[in-house]
Amino acid sequence: MRQALAEAGLAAASGDVPVGAVVVGPDGTSVLATAHNERELTGDPTAHAEVLAIRRAAQALGGWRLTGCTLVVTLEPCTLCAGAAVHSRLDRVVYGARDEKAGAAGSLWDLIRDRRLNHRPEVIGGVLADACAEPLTRFFRDTDFRPQPPMG
């Protein structure tokens, strides 16, 4: 989680919401990929930390199935990221701060553990929750964060 927090700091430095993610390999120790939010940086609405980390981990493994892997993220995944976790066949999702407004791993929705889906990763929430929530609170308190107009 501390590595994901370091990634979150990189997101804030580029004007993005400070969320960081890490994908740990099946051995439980090797880091396959790291990422942070890049939506503002790239203008890509899908450039969430989790999606980028999952893409990079799949590239590192040479395939889309991340069986045995763990996604560690500083903020509870939204529906986009929860769906990516399910579809990539991650074994578990570990998150820090709950997201009462958009969380899809138990707060607002529980997409990841929906019994109607063909794969349900284990979910572990609240890991270093206060440390993960603090950069988000600071970002939204100190930043005049408004979505940018469409590019083009």
Side-chain angles (χ1 to χ4, degrees):
M1 186 61 77
R2 296 207 188 281
Q3 192 165 1
L5 278 164
E7 283 289 324
L10 297 174
S14 66
D16 272 285
V17 177
V19 176
V22 174
V23 175
V24 179
D27 66 2
T29 60
S30 61
V31 173
L32 298 176
T34 62
H36 55 274
N37 276 356
E38 294 182 11
R39 291 182 309 162
E40 298 297 328
L41 181 68
T42 63
D44 178 355
T46 68
H48 291 212
E50 301 96 320
V51 171
L52 295 173
I54 288 168
R55 286 178 185 160
R56 292 170 187 165
Q59 186 175 23
L61 289 176
W64 64 270
R65 288 179 183 87
L66 300 183
T67 306
C69 296
T70 300
L71 172 67
V72 179
V73 60
T74 58
L75 181 64
E76 179 182 358
C78 67
T79 54
L80 170 73
C81 299
V86 169
H87 288 293
S88 64
R89 306 297 194 268
L90 285 162
D91 273 15
R92 75 196 49 77
V93 174
V94 177
Y95 71 85
R98 286 176 57 95
D99 186 349
E100 299 294 337
K101 292 182 179 179
S107 291
L108 186 58
W109 296 287
D110 200 354
L111 178 67
I112 292 179
R113 292 178 284 211
D114 189 318
R115 292 196 175 275
R116 295 169 291 184
L117 298 175
N118 65 335
H119 180 75
R120 291 179 300 280
E122 174 187 13
V123 176
I124 301 167
V127 176
L128 295 179
D130 291 341
C132 291
E134 193 277 327
L136 290 159
T137 301
R138 183 173 2 110
F139 178 83
F140 287 110
R141 183 191 63 221
D142 298 346
T143 306
D144 183 20
F145 184 76
R146 282 181 279 203
Q148 299 298 311
M151 296 172 58

mmCIF file of all heavy atoms in Angstrom, residues 4 24 26 31 33 39 53 65 71 73 78-79 81 87 99 104 106 115-116 128-129 137 141 145 148:
data_model
loop_
_atom_site.group_PDB
_atom_site.id
_atom_site.type_symbol
_atom_site.label_atom_id
_atom_site.label_comp_id
_atom_site.label_asym_id
_atom_site.label_seq_id
_atom_site.Cartn_x
_atom_site.Cartn_y
_atom_site.Cartn_z
ATOM 1 N N ALA A 4 1.656 2.188 -3.464
ATOM 2 C CA ALA A 4 0.487 2.791 -4.095
ATOM 3 C C ALA A 4 0.320 4.242 -3.634
ATOM 4 O O ALA A 4 -0.038 5.121 -4.430
ATOM 5 C CB ALA A 4 -0.771 1.984 -3.783
ATOM 6 N N VAL A 24 0.456 -6.834 -7.657
ATOM 7 C CA VAL A 24 1.454 -7.756 -7.104
ATOM 8 C C VAL A 24 1.232 -9.111 -7.754
ATOM 9 O O VAL A 24 0.096 -9.574 -7.898
ATOM 10 C CB VAL A 24 1.314 -7.852 -5.568
ATOM 11 C CG1 VAL A 24 2.325 -8.832 -4.987
ATOM 12 C CG2 VAL A 24 1.465 -6.472 -4.937
ATOM 13 N N PRO A 26 1.588 -13.334 -8.579
ATOM 14 C CA PRO A 26 1.078 -14.503 -7.855
ATOM 15 C C PRO A 26 1.958 -14.948 -6.692
ATOM 16 O O PRO A 26 1.468 -15.571 -5.757
ATOM 17 C CB PRO A 26 1.013 -15.591 -8.929
ATOM 18 C CG PRO A 26 0.910 -14.852 -10.211
ATOM 19 C CD PRO A 26 1.694 -13.583 -10.011
ATOM 20 N N VAL A 31 6.318 -6.972 -7.719
ATOM 21 C CA VAL A 31 5.449 -5.933 -8.250
ATOM 22 C C VAL A 31 5.492 -6.020 -9.769
ATOM 23 O O VAL A 31 6.543 -5.854 -10.383
ATOM 24 C CB VAL A 31 5.893 -4.535 -7.762
ATOM 25 C CG1 VAL A 31 5.095 -3.444 -8.458
ATOM 26 C CG2 VAL A 31 5.729 -4.430 -6.255
ATOM 27 N N ALA A 33 3.323 -4.163 -11.798
ATOM 28 C CA ALA A 33 3.002 -2.869 -12.389
ATOM 29 C C ALA A 33 2.599 -1.875 -11.318
ATOM 30 O O ALA A 33 2.071 -2.254 -10.278
ATOM 31 C CB ALA A 33 1.863 -3.030 -13.398
ATOM 32 N N ARG A 39 -5.919 10.837 -15.852
ATOM 33 C CA ARG A 39 -7.019 11.367 -16.663
ATOM 34 C C ARG A 39 -6.752 12.795 -17.114
ATOM 35 O O ARG A 39 -6.928 13.131 -18.285
ATOM 36 C CB ARG A 39 -8.342 11.292 -15.909
ATOM 37 C CG ARG A 39 -8.810 9.862 -15.715
ATOM 38 C CD ARG A 39 -10.140 9.776 -15.011
ATOM 39 N NE ARG A 39 -10.128 10.562 -13.784
ATOM 40 C CZ ARG A 39 -11.204 10.956 -13.133
ATOM 41 N NH1 ARG A 39 -12.402 10.649 -13.575
ATOM 42 N NH2 ARG A 39 -11.109 11.648 -12.016
ATOM 43 N N ALA A 53 -2.744 0.147 -14.135
ATOM 44 C CA ALA A 53 -1.929 -0.884 -13.490
ATOM 45 C C ALA A 53 -2.298 -2.273 -14.011
ATOM 46 O O ALA A 53 -1.414 -3.108 -14.265
ATOM 47 C CB ALA A 53 -2.088 -0.818 -11.973
ATOM 48 N N ARG A 65 -5.190 -12.562 -18.378
ATOM 49 C CA ARG A 65 -5.616 -13.198 -17.132
ATOM 50 C C ARG A 65 -4.580 -12.947 -16.032
ATOM 51 O O ARG A 65 -3.450 -13.410 -16.126
ATOM 52 C CB ARG A 65 -5.807 -14.698 -17.337
ATOM 53 C CG ARG A 65 -7.020 -15.048 -18.146
ATOM 54 C CD ARG A 65 -7.125 -16.567 -18.335
ATOM 55 N NE ARG A 65 -8.241 -16.910 -19.179
ATOM 56 C CZ ARG A 65 -8.191 -16.976 -20.507
ATOM 57 N NH1 ARG A 65 -7.053 -16.698 -21.134
ATOM 58 N NH2 ARG A 65 -9.256 -17.310 -21.202
ATOM 59 N N LEU A 71 -4.482 -6.644 -6.755
ATOM 60 C CA LEU A 71 -4.497 -5.210 -7.031
ATOM 61 C C LEU A 71 -4.552 -4.485 -5.697
ATOM 62 O O LEU A 71 -5.444 -4.751 -4.882
ATOM 63 C CB LEU A 71 -5.719 -4.842 -7.872
ATOM 64 C CG LEU A 71 -5.968 -3.347 -8.087
ATOM 65 C CD1 LEU A 71 -4.869 -2.718 -8.933
ATOM 66 C CD2 LEU A 71 -7.339 -3.137 -8.723
ATOM 67 N N VAL A 73 -4.801 -0.673 -4.141
ATOM 68 C CA VAL A 73 -5.152 0.675 -4.580
ATOM 69 C C VAL A 73 -5.517 1.532 -3.372
ATOM 70 O O VAL A 73 -6.081 1.041 -2.396
ATOM 71 C CB VAL A 73 -6.289 0.621 -5.636
ATOM 72 C CG1 VAL A 73 -7.542 -0.021 -5.078
ATOM 73 C CG2 VAL A 73 -6.565 1.973 -6.231
ATOM 74 N N CYS A 78 -13.997 2.280 -8.348
ATOM 75 C CA CYS A 78 -15.292 2.677 -8.895
ATOM 76 C C CYS A 78 -15.828 1.539 -9.763
ATOM 77 O O CYS A 78 -15.194 0.480 -9.874
ATOM 78 C CB CYS A 78 -15.129 3.949 -9.733
ATOM 79 S SG CYS A 78 -14.163 3.690 -11.244
ATOM 80 N N THR A 79 -16.951 1.742 -10.410
ATOM 81 C CA THR A 79 -17.527 0.678 -11.228
ATOM 82 C C THR A 79 -16.626 0.304 -12.403
ATOM 83 O O THR A 79 -16.510 -0.882 -12.737
ATOM 84 C CB THR A 79 -18.929 1.053 -11.745
ATOM 85 O OG1 THR A 79 -18.857 2.307 -12.432
ATOM 86 C CG2 THR A 79 -19.923 1.145 -10.618
ATOM 87 N N CYS A 81 -13.333 0.443 -12.564
ATOM 88 C CA CYS A 81 -12.172 -0.290 -12.058
ATOM 89 C C CYS A 81 -12.570 -1.623 -11.442
ATOM 90 O O CYS A 81 -11.835 -2.613 -11.559
ATOM 91 C CB CYS A 81 -11.419 0.584 -11.073
ATOM 92 S SG CYS A 81 -10.812 2.099 -11.876
ATOM 93 N N HIS A 87 -12.952 -8.677 -14.694
ATOM 94 C CA HIS A 87 -12.672 -9.206 -16.031
ATOM 95 C C HIS A 87 -11.221 -9.619 -16.234
ATOM 96 O O HIS A 87 -10.933 -10.446 -17.105
ATOM 97 C CB HIS A 87 -13.108 -8.210 -17.097
ATOM 98 C CG HIS A 87 -14.588 -8.125 -17.228
ATOM 99 N ND1 HIS A 87 -15.359 -9.160 -17.691
ATOM 100 C CD2 HIS A 87 -15.453 -7.135 -16.906
ATOM 101 C CE1 HIS A 87 -16.626 -8.814 -17.668
ATOM 102 N NE2 HIS A 87 -16.714 -7.592 -17.181
ATOM 103 N N ASP A 99 -14.857 4.808 -0.625
ATOM 104 C CA ASP A 99 -15.401 5.865 -1.471
ATOM 105 C C ASP A 99 -16.922 5.793 -1.409
ATOM 106 O O ASP A 99 -17.552 5.051 -2.151
ATOM 107 C CB ASP A 99 -14.910 5.698 -2.911
ATOM 108 C CG ASP A 99 -15.316 6.855 -3.798
ATOM 109 O OD1 ASP A 99 -16.149 7.690 -3.381
ATOM 110 O OD2 ASP A 99 -14.804 6.922 -4.934
ATOM 111 N N ALA A 104 -17.319 0.774 -5.590
ATOM 112 C CA ALA A 104 -18.018 -0.404 -6.111
ATOM 113 C C ALA A 104 -17.446 -1.698 -5.550
ATOM 114 O O ALA A 104 -17.495 -2.743 -6.176
ATOM 115 C CB ALA A 104 -17.964 -0.408 -7.634
ATOM 116 N N GLY A 106 -18.177 -2.362 -2.110
ATOM 117 C CA GLY A 106 -18.854 -2.480 -0.835
ATOM 118 C C GLY A 106 -19.485 -1.215 -0.308
ATOM 119 O O GLY A 106 -20.443 -1.281 0.466
ATOM 120 N N ARG A 115 -22.676 -11.990 -6.956
ATOM 121 C CA ARG A 115 -22.754 -13.438 -7.213
ATOM 122 C C ARG A 115 -23.207 -13.780 -8.623
ATOM 123 O O ARG A 115 -23.074 -14.917 -9.063
ATOM 124 C CB ARG A 115 -23.663 -14.100 -6.185
ATOM 125 C CG ARG A 115 -23.065 -14.070 -4.802
ATOM 126 C CD ARG A 115 -23.788 -15.046 -3.892
ATOM 127 N NE ARG A 115 -23.133 -15.102 -2.608
ATOM 128 C CZ ARG A 115 -22.096 -15.878 -2.325
ATOM 129 N NH1 ARG A 115 -21.600 -16.643 -3.247
ATOM 130 N NH2 ARG A 115 -21.560 -15.872 -1.122
ATOM 131 N N ARG A 116 -23.741 -12.817 -9.337
ATOM 132 C CA ARG A 116 -24.176 -13.075 -10.711
ATOM 133 C C ARG A 116 -23.007 -13.085 -11.692
ATOM 134 O O ARG A 116 -23.160 -13.533 -12.822
ATOM 135 C CB ARG A 116 -25.207 -12.034 -11.145
ATOM 136 C CG ARG A 116 -26.501 -12.139 -10.329
ATOM 137 C CD ARG A 116 -27.386 -10.965 -10.559
ATOM 138 N NE ARG A 116 -26.771 -9.773 -9.978
ATOM 139 C CZ ARG A 116 -27.329 -8.584 -9.934
ATOM 140 N NH1 ARG A 116 -28.521 -8.399 -10.462
ATOM 141 N NH2 ARG A 116 -26.716 -7.554 -9.380
ATOM 142 N N LEU A 128 -4.485 0.866 5.718
ATOM 143 C CA LEU A 128 -3.921 2.216 5.840
ATOM 144 C C LEU A 128 -4.938 3.267 5.403
ATOM 145 O O LEU A 128 -4.610 4.225 4.704
ATOM 146 C CB LEU A 128 -2.626 2.350 5.038
ATOM 147 C CG LEU A 128 -1.437 1.498 5.479
ATOM 148 C CD1 LEU A 128 -0.246 1.720 4.563
ATOM 149 C CD2 LEU A 128 -1.053 1.788 6.920
ATOM 150 N N ALA A 129 -6.183 3.078 5.809
ATOM 151 C CA ALA A 129 -7.293 3.921 5.356
ATOM 152 C C ALA A 129 -7.049 5.408 5.614
ATOM 153 O O ALA A 129 -7.289 6.233 4.720
ATOM 154 C CB ALA A 129 -8.592 3.476 6.015
ATOM 155 N N THR A 137 -8.337 14.071 0.746
ATOM 156 C CA THR A 137 -8.956 15.186 1.472
ATOM 157 C C THR A 137 -8.203 16.477 1.189
ATOM 158 O O THR A 137 -8.809 17.517 0.888
ATOM 159 C CB THR A 137 -8.980 14.888 2.981
ATOM 160 O OG1 THR A 137 -9.714 13.679 3.192
ATOM 161 C CG2 THR A 137 -9.600 16.027 3.761
ATOM 162 N N ARG A 141 -9.581 19.777 -0.843
ATOM 163 C CA ARG A 141 -9.650 20.984 -0.027
ATOM 164 C C ARG A 141 -8.808 22.103 -0.642
ATOM 165 O O ARG A 141 -9.225 23.252 -0.694
ATOM 166 C CB ARG A 141 -9.156 20.691 1.393
ATOM 167 C CG ARG A 141 -9.257 21.895 2.335
ATOM 168 C CD ARG A 141 -8.530 21.656 3.649
ATOM 169 N NE ARG A 141 -7.111 21.479 3.382
ATOM 170 C CZ ARG A 141 -6.331 20.573 3.974
ATOM 171 N NH1 ARG A 141 -6.817 19.761 4.880
ATOM 172 N NH2 ARG A 141 -5.056 20.475 3.661
ATOM 173 N N PHE A 145 -10.433 22.023 -8.151
ATOM 174 C CA PHE A 145 -10.556 20.919 -9.099
ATOM 175 C C PHE A 145 -11.875 21.012 -9.831
ATOM 176 O O PHE A 145 -12.940 20.847 -9.256
ATOM 177 C CB PHE A 145 -10.445 19.567 -8.381
ATOM 178 C CG PHE A 145 -10.471 18.410 -9.324
ATOM 179 C CD1 PHE A 145 -9.360 18.093 -10.078
ATOM 180 C CD2 PHE A 145 -11.613 17.646 -9.476
ATOM 181 C CE1 PHE A 145 -9.372 17.026 -10.960
ATOM 182 C CE2 PHE A 145 -11.636 16.577 -10.351
ATOM 183 C CZ PHE A 145 -10.520 16.281 -11.093
ATOM 184 N N GLN A 148 -11.909 19.741 -16.898
ATOM 185 C CA GLN A 148 -11.474 20.581 -18.002
ATOM 186 C C GLN A 148 -12.454 20.456 -19.167
ATOM 187 O O GLN A 148 -13.093 19.433 -19.333
ATOM 188 C CB GLN A 148 -10.069 20.169 -18.444
ATOM 189 C CG GLN A 148 -9.033 20.325 -17.337
ATOM 190 C CD GLN A 148 -8.894 21.759 -16.894
ATOM 191 O OE1 GLN A 148 -8.751 22.653 -17.712
ATOM 192 N NE2 GLN A 148 -8.958 21.995 -15.595
#
